[in-house]
Amino acid sequence: MHAEGFLVVLSGPSGAGKNTVMNAIFSSIPNLVYSVSVTTRAPRDGEREGIDYFFRTPEDFSQMVERGELIEWAQFCGNYYGTPRFFVEDMISQGKIVIMDIETLGAAQIRKKMPEAVLVFLLPPSWNDLKHRLLSRAQDSQEVIAERLEKSFEEINKMAEYDYFIINDDLENAAEQLRTIIKAEMSRVSRIKLDEFRTLWQGGKSDNE
Ligand code: ADP
Ligand code: 5GP
């Protein structure tokens, strides 16, 4: 192993397609792992504990914050969300690429703490498409959908803080773009442990042999 692991942050309005696009790329990047967040939101139909989220009470969540167990956390539309620190640090030390789906305040905290992270912003082709996607996902109440649509204006203003943007029009194109970004970032020279790489590459031969 001679490459450092790194973090990919995926943000974008709720309903942009972050989960859908992410799920489309796991099979083609074997080193990619998903960071499961903690939330105080109630599970949607079909969501599974420890796979989609760790569902916790507000009391448990604030204890995790106090104990420093979250790398970042934020409030979003009345619920708390945060990223468990141990998993991310452990995976990165093993050379894995960790992808996380988090909103813009959390992404800004990651940018400060881990400047080498790659920040990607995903958005639907238009606000109207976003509305249709949230309605067709049919998982949230009318009030929750209205609140998320309103929130999308604020979130799009944060796009300038990201490294890349992807417009999720056609799913396969959007997935291909995300795959390409991650693969390019894997080839960034600054992520290579140069001494280990050179030793391997030289096959044990010394510099002046
Ligand atoms: P997010 O994780 O960003 O909240 P989801 O992945 O849950 O969004 O997607 C929201 C809805 O939009 C889902 O019903 C999903 O099937 C749909 N969707 C995702 N990508 C596309 C796309 N490219 N074209 C049409 N519908 C899409
Ligand atoms: P949802 O309730 O639709 O699953 O997520 C709502 C928002 O919370 C989305 O924008 C999602 O990216 C964000 N989110 C999910 N997990 C985290 C997290 O661990 N930290 C932060 N800051 N945001 C998160």
Side-chain angles (χ1 to χ4, degrees):
M1 180 66 61
H2 48 261
E4 300 270 5
F6 61 95
L7 210 58
V8 178
V9 172
L10 188 62
S11 300
S14 177
K18 299 180 294 295
N19 278 288
T20 311
V21 172
M22 233 170 13
N23 286 336
I25 66 165
F26 279 104
S27 60
S28 50
I29 308 179
N31 232 11
L32 187 66
V33 292
Y34 178 61
S35 159
V36 179
S37 296
V38 181
T39 184
T40 61
R41 157 166 92 56
R44 294 185 183 123
D45 277 353
E47 282 185 331
R48 294 144 303 170
E49 166 69 20
I51 294 176
D52 300 293
Y53 278 109
F54 297 106
F55 296 98
R56 294 292 178 268
T57 62
E59 293 71 33
D60 287 346
F61 191 95
S62 58
Q63 278 177 12
M64 291 183 87
V65 171
E66 275 164 30
R67 289 197 293 255
E69 289 172 16
L70 305 177
I71 295 189
E72 63 70 38
W73 64 273
Q75 193 179 19
F76 181 90
C77 292
N79 293 300
Y80 290 96
Y81 297 82
T83 301
R85 173 189 302 283
F86 177 75
F87 178 81
V88 170
E89 291 179 350
D90 185 37
M91 287 297 124
I92 286 185
S93 74
Q94 290 182 37
K96 302 275 188 201
I97 303 162
V98 180
I99 190 163
M100 53 176 67
D101 159 6
I102 67 174
E103 52 68 69
T104 52
L105 294 171
Q109 295 169 48
I110 294 285
R111 175 62 103 201
K112 262 197 187 151
K113 290 180 185 163
M114 304 174 89
E116 67 292 351
V118 182
L119 270 58
V120 181
F121 197 90
L122 184 85
L123 67 167
S126 70
W127 188 82
N128 220 16
D129 287 294
L130 180 64
K131 188 171 160 189
H132 283 117
R133 285 184 194 174
L134 281 170
L135 288 171
S136 69
R137 186 166 69 183
Q139 288 275 6
D140 300 304
S141 67
Q142 293 288 355
E143 296 75 44
V144 167
I145 290 180
E147 196 180 6
R148 284 166 182 239
L149 282 171
E150 189 60 35
K151 186 89 178 165
S152 70
F153 298 117
E154 201 182 298
E155 292 182 296
I156 282 183
N157 286 334
K158 301 278 176 63
M159 207 168 115
E161 296 168 17
Y162 285 70
D163 299 307
Y164 298 96
F165 76 96
I166 298 174
I167 296 183
N168 179 19
D169 187 351
D170 174 72
L171 174 60
E172 196 31 58
N173 283 345
E176 182 55 29
Q177 262 183 282
L178 182 58
R179 218 177 274 128
T180 304
I181 289 167
I182 294 174
K183 291 205 166 160
E185 289 289 338
M186 284 162 79
S187 300
R188 202 176 267 285
V189 170
S190 61
R191 301 197 196 281
I192 290 173
K193 293 175 186 162
L194 212 47
D195 287 347
E196 276 182 38
F197 178 81
R198 210 180 44 183
T199 307
L200 275 174
W201 186 83
Q202 289 182 179
K205 288 194 171 42
S206 66
D207 283 348
N208 47 14
E209 207 172 304

